[in-house]
């Protein structure tokens, strides 16, 4: 199973090879403001950016938050954490 995804404008693209590990929602103030609280959790080995990594901007957290959030520089689509070095990380399910 391959799941292809992108931002709204299509600049940032990715593929997930296999079924995501799970789906969840974050209801913190940051995710609610981004309008992208539903996420799937993927393994680093299953995920590959296919285009425009340079178009990904990352918002670093301020206390008390601990997770970064990334988005497309062109259209603003929330992406989750596609640049995370973690073995498992969230990708927004939009």
């Amino acid at each position: 199973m391959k799941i292809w995804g992108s931002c709204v404008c299509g600049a940032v693209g990715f593929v997930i090879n296999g079924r995501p590990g799970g789906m969840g929602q974050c209801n913190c103030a940051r995710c609610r403001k981004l309008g992208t609280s539903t996420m799937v959790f993927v393994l680093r080995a299953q995920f590959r950016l296919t285009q425009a990594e340079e178009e990904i901007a990352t918002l670093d957290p301020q206390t008390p938050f601990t997770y970064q959030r990334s988005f497309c520089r062109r259209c603003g689509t929330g992406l989750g954490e596609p640049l995370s070095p973690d073995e498992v990380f969230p990708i927004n399910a939009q």
Side-chain angles (χ1 to χ4, degrees):
M1 161 190 266
K2 285 191 180 199
I3 301 170
W4 297 89
S6 70
C7 61
V8 171
C9 73
V12 178
F14 61 88
V15 63
I16 300 169
N17 291 300
R19 189 177 300 272
M23 181 180 270
Q25 288 189 325
C26 182
N27 293 303
C28 77
R30 290 175 64 209
C31 286
R32 287 194 319 264
K33 286 181 179 182
L34 287 170
T36 55
S37 64
T38 302
M39 299 173 218
V40 295
F41 295 87
V42 299
L43 295 171
R44 168 70 43 217
Q46 292 179 305
F47 182 83
R48 182 173 57 89
L49 283 168
T50 57
Q51 60 191 41
E53 181 176 336
E54 69 278 1
E55 293 296 338
I56 298 174
T58 300
L59 176 65
D60 290 324
Q62 293 181 4
T63 305
F65 302 104
T66 58
Y67 299 105
Q68 292 182 332
R69 290 294 178 249
S70 296
F71 55 93
C72 173
R73 291 180 193 276
R74 292 186 192 178
C75 67
T77 300
L79 300 168
E81 298 180 37
L83 302 178
S84 171
D86 295 337
E87 186 63 30
V88 177
F89 57 93
I91 294 295
N92 289 356
Q94 302 172 7

